[in-house]
Amino acid sequence: MLGRALALLSGFRPGESEIGLAELARRSGVAKPTAHRLLAELESWMLVERTGRGYRLGLRLFELGQVVPRQRDLQETATPFLADLYEATRETVHLAVPDGAEVVYVQKLSAPGGPDIPSRLGGRMPAHCTGVGKALLAFGPPERLAAVLAAGLTRRTPRTIVLPGMLGTQLTAIRRSGLAEEHEESGRGVACVAAPVMDPSGVAVAAISISGWSNRLDTRRVAPAVRTAALALSRALGGAPVLSTVEEP
């Protein structure tokens, strides 16, 4: 029952002021009578609210989100470093964390005139085709990569890496340089360079990236700034530095 309730909550989309019962049941895969019963209980806990023509997420969810310590501390600590990185580059800046075979974007500073990057706050992307995702895979525990391979390397563009061997080769290179790049793998016209944010045990718990137009963004030029921001955030969180075995570009 809890799983079906979570499926209903996951059926809401950003920017929607409300959603009808039938559509919510369709998105979640929960039978309409069951969805109606569960939504009534969620409403009693203020997790959803009834509107004129359907439902919307309740303020109780926002309140609960504010007391999640790991993400809250990460976001609050990261804010000045992300702002400095944006001011230095004037490109779109992301902060992402791992979740299974995907990454979740927890902060985003958008640059005017940049590409339509397929990311949003709270949104998800496959880890294998994003700069932040590959940084998290290269410096994450083995089970993180295992989850990605088990889910399958789906193709989003003609340049997406879909062969496990090629992904493994790229992750080895990322471990040597301390930087991950993406060139039109998650979306056409998008380039990205990312660096991991490390915890005290030397495992990546987040990643910072800069994204921009692939024909304009010089990833080698902005890479040192990304690395510096990630290193500063790692230190602020008490994490260990990434030791690169190659010289700075």
Side-chain angles (χ1 to χ4, degrees):
M1 193 63 71
L2 178 60
R4 281 179 282 184
L6 289 173
L8 286 169
L9 293 174
S10 299
F12 289 88
R13 300 285 186 269
E16 291 179 334
S17 58
E18 61 184 6
I19 177 174
L21 172 63
E23 176 62 14
L24 195 53
R26 185 192 67 80
R27 291 182 185 178
S28 64
V30 177
K32 190 174 178 180
T34 303
H36 185 268
R37 185 173 68 254
L38 288 173
L39 286 166
E41 180 145 359
L42 291 171
E43 184 181 6
S44 71
W45 286 94
M46 296 183 290
L47 295 173
V48 300
E49 298 174 356
R50 182 77 72 95
T51 65
R53 293 176 294 178
Y55 299 86
R56 64 187 177 194
L57 293 175
L59 287 177
R60 180 62 178 154
L61 280 175
F62 174 78
E63 294 170 358
L64 289 172
Q66 299 308 298
V67 299
V68 178
R70 185 173 72 88
Q71 301 301 349
R72 186 186 64 216
D73 291 348
L74 173 64
Q75 290 175 266
E76 290 177 354
T77 306
T79 295
F81 302 111
L82 300 180
D84 287 348
L85 184 59
Y86 176 80
E87 289 298 325
T89 64
R90 291 293 173 174
E91 300 286 357
T92 296
V93 175
H94 288 109
L95 176 69
V97 296
D99 188 16
E102 300 173 312
V103 297
V104 179
Y105 293 94
V106 294
Q107 284 208 45
K108 178 179 181 179
L109 302 178
S110 299
D116 185 17
I117 298 170
S119 64
R120 58 177 175 80
L121 284 180
R124 296 171 176 268
M125 286 286 289
H128 70 280
C129 63
T130 59
V132 288
K134 288 188 284 188
L136 288 164
L137 291 176
F139 294 95
E143 54 267 27
R144 188 177 293 169
L145 177 58
V148 168
L149 296 178
L153 305 181
T154 55
R155 185 182 297 279
R156 293 183 63 91
T157 75
R159 302 193 66 172
T160 304
I161 294 176
V162 295
L163 298 178
M166 290 183 64
L167 178 61
T169 299
Q170 193 168 88
L171 295 180
T172 298
I174 293 169
R175 292 185 193 102
R176 289 199 303 266
S177 67
L179 292 163
E181 293 192 17
E182 177 223 330
H183 295 275
E184 298 189 301
E185 296 170 47
S186 66
R188 294 179 183 271
V190 177
C192 169
V193 59
V197 177
M198 312 297 281
D199 70 6
S201 66
V203 173
V205 293
I208 292 175
S209 73
I210 284 178
S211 301
W213 290 106
S214 59
N215 62 353
R216 184 171 64 85
L217 180 66
D218 184 348
T219 55
R220 289 178 61 84
R221 181 183 65 82
V222 300
V226 177
R227 178 183 287 156
T228 298
L231 177 59
L233 179 54
S234 297
R235 287 174 172 163
L237 295 171
V242 175
L243 300 178
S244 170
T245 60
V246 296
E247 294 184 359
E248 195 81 52

Short mmCIF file of all heavy atoms in Angstrom, two decimals, residues 27 48 63 110 137 173 197 211-212 219:
data_model
loop_
_atom_site.label_atom_id
_atom_site.label_comp_id
_atom_site.label_asym_id
_atom_site.label_seq_id
_atom_site.Cartn_x
_atom_site.Cartn_y
_atom_site.Cartn_z
N ARG A 27 -0.97 7.56 -14.71
CA ARG A 27 0.47 7.76 -14.59
C ARG A 27 1.10 6.82 -13.56
O ARG A 27 2.21 6.34 -13.75
CB ARG A 27 0.76 9.21 -14.19
CG ARG A 27 0.45 10.23 -15.26
CD ARG A 27 0.84 11.62 -14.75
NE ARG A 27 0.45 12.67 -15.69
CZ ARG A 27 0.64 13.97 -15.47
NH1 ARG A 27 1.23 14.36 -14.35
NH2 ARG A 27 0.26 14.86 -16.36
N VAL A 48 -1.42 15.72 0.11
CA VAL A 48 -2.04 16.24 -1.11
C VAL A 48 -3.20 17.13 -0.69
O VAL A 48 -3.69 17.05 0.45
CB VAL A 48 -2.54 15.13 -2.06
CG1 VAL A 48 -1.40 14.24 -2.52
CG2 VAL A 48 -3.65 14.31 -1.42
N GLU A 63 7.31 20.75 3.97
CA GLU A 63 7.81 20.80 5.34
C GLU A 63 8.73 19.62 5.63
O GLU A 63 9.78 19.76 6.26
CB GLU A 63 6.64 20.81 6.32
CG GLU A 63 5.80 22.07 6.24
CD GLU A 63 4.52 21.94 7.06
OE1 GLU A 63 4.30 20.87 7.64
OE2 GLU A 63 3.74 22.90 7.08
N SER A 110 20.84 28.88 -13.88
CA SER A 110 20.72 28.89 -15.34
C SER A 110 21.32 30.14 -15.95
O SER A 110 21.07 31.26 -15.47
CB SER A 110 19.25 28.77 -15.76
OG SER A 110 18.69 27.57 -15.30
N LEU A 137 29.78 8.15 -10.88
CA LEU A 137 30.08 6.74 -11.13
C LEU A 137 31.57 6.45 -10.97
O LEU A 137 31.97 5.42 -10.40
CB LEU A 137 29.63 6.34 -12.54
CG LEU A 137 28.12 6.30 -12.78
CD1 LEU A 137 27.84 5.99 -14.24
CD2 LEU A 137 27.45 5.28 -11.88
N ALA A 173 39.40 6.94 -17.28
CA ALA A 173 40.03 8.21 -17.63
C ALA A 173 39.58 9.32 -16.67
O ALA A 173 40.37 10.20 -16.30
CB ALA A 173 39.68 8.58 -19.06
N VAL A 197 32.15 15.75 -5.71
CA VAL A 197 32.24 16.27 -4.34
C VAL A 197 32.38 15.06 -3.43
O VAL A 197 31.52 14.18 -3.43
CB VAL A 197 30.98 17.08 -3.98
CG1 VAL A 197 31.04 17.54 -2.53
CG2 VAL A 197 30.82 18.27 -4.92
N SER A 211 27.51 23.60 -17.76
CA SER A 211 26.96 23.17 -19.05
C SER A 211 26.74 24.38 -19.95
O SER A 211 26.48 25.48 -19.47
CB SER A 211 25.63 22.42 -18.86
OG SER A 211 25.80 21.30 -18.04
N GLY A 212 26.85 24.14 -21.24
CA GLY A 212 26.62 25.21 -22.21
C GLY A 212 26.50 24.65 -23.61
O GLY A 212 26.46 23.43 -23.82
N THR A 219 35.36 23.34 -22.65
CA THR A 219 35.39 22.57 -21.40
C THR A 219 36.77 22.58 -20.75
O THR A 219 36.90 22.56 -19.53
CB THR A 219 34.93 21.13 -21.63
OG1 THR A 219 35.71 20.53 -22.67
CG2 THR A 219 33.46 21.09 -22.02
#
